[in-house]
Amino acid sequence: MAEVRDGLRYTRTHEWVRVEGDVAVVGVTDFAQSELGDITYLELPEPGTTVRQGESMGVIESVKAASDIYAPVSGEIVEANKTVVESPELVNKSPYDEAWLVKIKLSAPDELERLMDAEAYRQFLAETAAMA
Amino acid sequence: MSTKVTPLYERHKSLGARFIEFAGWTMPVQYEGIVSEHVAVRTRAGLFDLGHMGQVIVRGKDALRFLQYVTANDVARLQPGRAQYSLLLYPTGGVVDDIIVYDLPDGTAYLVVVNAANTEKDLEWLRAHRSHHPEWAVEIEDISDRTGMVALQGPLAEPILQRLTTFHLRTLPSFGIAQIEVAGIPTLVARTGYTGEDGFEFYCSIERVVDLWDALLAAGQPHGLVPVGLGARDTLRIEAGLPLYGNELSPEITPLEAGLGWVIAWEKGPFVGREALVRQRDEGPPRRLVGFELVERGGIPRHGYPVQVGNEVIGAVTSGTVSPTLGKTIGMALVARAYAGIGKPFAIVIRNRPVEAVQVKLPFYRRSRATPRSVT
């Protein structure tokens, strides 16, 4: 079973968000890395870029396929994780810790309410698995 | 549309496989992970379920004559117990399928092994040509539904298999085949493969293929043998520079363009596609299949991505991957002949961004360890 961490917020496109003050730390979930398989390449937005909730802000590519990374919240990119760009396989090894992807300065904190909490995301994964 | 499964489906499930639909079949794409399976085949050994592939028996007094006419390679060079890579061609010179022709050890028939996606098409093609020559004594029989097929590939393939048979495997050359017992199961064993490693492909009755799989897996476990899915099969064959039908080969691509001129037996007499190929050989093929590696990061070059020099599109990627063995991003592309040449640069357009690449020699990977050479 894929790990779903308590205390984080989740999107239906399998990004996670950890709120630290007015900044959202964003990554992809354990379920996402496991579905993608061996991750080989990441394209992340540059610091200073403005992103909007639900829009594509980068690309995550595995041996199998390329997928978009969607902004879970709107705001300005204040940092992108250079270590994970250099070593994309970190996403497979440590999706919730070392392999955070970007930090977004929240421009509309209310948007967090639209994201799932851990319990809702677990439920969402169970339904997704039931459909497959 | 419902898909077919092989008799090994339950085994794959219990081994934790993830499945994909491929050519009408539900097949394992990976178990542990594509990269770790790939590395296992390069360093130890891997076990593959190839139950989706098609097997056709061609027999009869005129079987040789028939195969000489419908395939590109020289079947007369075979003798019982030997196999040959070959092609079925359209009159235009485009490729119907790439195949392996086995001259069975008992000399009674030829076994033609074809790609899963092409099995029906190939059978129709063979039967149509058969019907053009009613006077030939040839029988074509599809045995796909009663034949189990697995492959054992990797540097430790031979010691693993040797544990299960009294047959002296050192005497079986590359592209040799033998009818032997493996763990007591009557099996046709061929020293062929699609990974760039030494290895074996096995054909047995479909009722015994689960037993064969279990025996091979158990014998191999102490040697680090792992089951391998279609994902690593693809990355392995790309490193080995081997063509995949639908990527490097198609009705629109001739073998001369695909770098398979060595398969064509020009002197053997008429065969389907020969005239078109002779013309193309004399004029020079308009495109060539080349190998390349990326010289900057930018993602994986996937099938169909444009290849550019300056702003001009000169071709397209046929296959690409990150090479686990070389640690580089590699691929093959079909490009206009004028631009083909080792060391020449071009760009692969990945998600609208040109990414710099340089042409390199194929194959990307060649094993160093010697295996018995064919004595023919």
Side-chain angles (χ1 to χ4, degrees):
Chain A
M1 253 332 260
E3 184 193 357
V4 176
R5 239 179 229 188
D6 289 324
L8 306 182
R9 292 270 171 174
Y10 296 89
T11 67
R12 297 171 76 87
T13 46
H14 308 289
E15 290 86 13
W16 58 259
V17 173
R18 186 172 63 237
V19 182
E20 295 177 351
D22 61 350
V23 168
V25 184
V26 176
V28 298
T29 66
D30 187 41
F31 174 82
Q33 70 76 20
S34 154
E35 285 294 299
L36 285 163
D38 299 294
I39 288 162
T40 57
Y41 179 74
L42 281 169
E43 219 167 79
L44 300 177
E46 294 287 323
T49 312
T50 304
V51 298
R52 286 178 48 159
Q53 187 176 41
E55 286 184 357
S56 171
M57 63 169 181
V59 173
I60 185 164
E61 191 155 11
S62 71
V63 177
K64 276 191 275 184
S67 309
D68 286 312
I69 303 166
Y70 296 96
V73 289
S74 304
E76 185 190 325
I77 303 292
V78 289
E79 195 180 344
N81 186 347
K82 289 200 186 80
T83 310
V84 77
V85 169
E86 285 303 311
S87 308
E89 67 278 4
L90 278 179
V91 178
N92 293 117
K93 289 182 189 139
S94 179
Y96 293 114
D97 297 304
E98 286 178 79
W100 63 272
L101 301 179
V102 293
K103 295 181 179 175
I104 303 174
K105 184 155 194 257
L106 296 166
S107 62
D110 293 354
E111 288 173 346
L112 290 167
E113 302 303 317
R114 295 189 218 156
L115 304 179
M116 290 176 272
D117 63 14
E119 203 41 57
Y121 184 60
R122 279 189 197 104
Q123 183 68 31
F124 175 70
L125 289 185
E127 284 162 13
T128 311
M131 283 192 312
Chain B
M1 200 179 78
S2 66
T3 58
K4 294 192 274 188
V5 297
T6 77
L8 293 164
Y9 179 72
E10 292 299 326
R11 287 290 186 276
H12 300 320
K13 273 213 304 209
S14 59
L15 288 162
R18 285 159 185 263
F19 293 92
I20 52 160
E21 284 184 27
F22 178 77
W25 294 79
T26 297
M27 296 298 292
V29 63
Q30 65 168 69
Y31 305 82
E32 191 65 31
I34 292 173
V35 172
S36 67
E37 290 163 32
H38 180 115
V39 170
V41 174
R42 287 276 178 258
T43 58
R44 306 186 306 273
L47 188 60
F48 301 76
D49 177 7
L50 302 181
H52 59 311
M53 296 190 71
Q55 294 90 17
V56 181
I57 291 285
V58 179
R59 66 163 73 84
K61 187 169 64 65
D62 294 311
L64 172 61
R65 192 175 176 184
F66 173 72
L67 287 173
Q68 287 291 59
Y69 184 65
V70 295
T71 70
N73 210 332
D74 186 0
V75 190
R77 281 207 297 255
L78 282 175
Q79 48 183 286
R82 291 287 183 271
Q84 175 181 77
Y85 180 72
S86 193
L87 298 161
L88 303 177
L89 299 174
Y90 290 106
T92 57
V95 179
V96 180
D97 201 5
D98 64 331
I99 60 175
I100 300 220
V101 179
Y102 297 88
D103 194 341
L104 291 178
D106 64 4
T108 58
Y110 295 95
L111 168 65
V112 178
V113 178
V114 305
N115 283 299
N118 295 336
T119 307
E120 288 307 314
K121 180 181 80 172
D122 292 358
L123 276 165
E124 277 171 32
W125 182 253
L126 292 172
R127 286 179 179 139
H129 283 285
R130 168 75 190 80
S131 68
H132 295 164
H133 295 280
E135 73 283 10
W136 290 358
V138 180
E139 197 187 317
I140 296 163
E141 188 189 2
D142 177 14
I143 60 163
S144 308
D145 287 346
R146 55 175 206 265
T147 308
M149 183 174 175
V150 299
L152 173 67
Q153 295 278 309
L156 300 184
E158 186 187 277
I160 291 168
L161 179 56
Q162 196 63 74
R163 294 171 62 140
L164 298 173
T165 179
T166 54
F167 182 89
H168 194 40
L169 291 168
R170 275 278 110 180
T171 64
L172 188 65
S174 177
F175 277 77
I177 47 173
Q179 180 69 46
I180 62 180
E181 285 203 352
V182 177
I185 301 158
T187 307
L188 184 66
V189 176
R191 198 161 203 151
T192 50
Y194 192 55
T195 60
E197 296 302 324
D198 182 25
F200 304 90
E201 293 180 318
F202 304 83
Y203 304 85
C204 68
S205 87
I206 200 143
E207 289 81 17
R208 300 303 303 276
V209 73
V210 175
D211 295 336
L212 179 64
W213 172 274
D214 288 348
L216 288 167
L217 205 54
Q221 239 143 25
H223 299 269
L225 174 70
V226 297
V228 181
L230 292 181
R233 184 171 159 86
D234 195 50
T235 57
L236 289 158
R237 70 96 196 165
I238 293 173
E239 280 186 352
L242 297 168
L244 173 65
Y245 193 85
N247 291 44
E248 285 74 31
L249 297 173
S250 82
E252 285 74 44
I253 304 170
T254 72
L256 295 176
E257 294 175 314
L260 294 177
W262 62 273
V263 178
I264 300 160
W266 301 101
E267 306 306 328
K268 74 169 176 174
F271 60 90
V272 181
R274 184 177 188 279
E275 284 170 36
L277 291 181
V278 166
R279 254 192 327 271
Q280 194 179 71
R281 180 189 61 183
D282 295 345
E283 291 164 6
R287 301 175 298 180
R288 272 189 50 196
L289 186 75
V290 299
F292 66 84
E293 59 185 53
L294 296 192
V295 296
E296 60 172 335
R297 296 171 74 99
I300 297 184
R302 298 191 193 268
H303 179 72
Y305 284 9
V307 178
Q308 279 183 190
V309 169
N311 288 324
E312 187 188 355
V313 175
I314 59 146
V317 173
T318 55
S319 294
T321 189
V322 174
S323 161
T325 308
L326 308 171
K328 293 173 177 172
T329 304
I330 59 171
M332 292 182 266
L334 200 57
V335 301
R337 185 174 44 160
Y339 293 95
I342 291 162
K344 288 188 183 175
F346 52 48
I348 312 296
V349 184
I350 301 178
R351 291 182 289 274
N352 298 321
R353 191 171 84 84
V355 178
E356 281 179 52
V358 63
Q359 295 180 53
V360 297
K361 201 163 169 287
L362 287 171
F364 303 101
Y365 166 86
R366 196 191 292 276
R367 73 174 181 270
S368 52
R369 196 183 131 117
T371 48
R373 292 283 298 277
S374 171
V375 289
T376 54

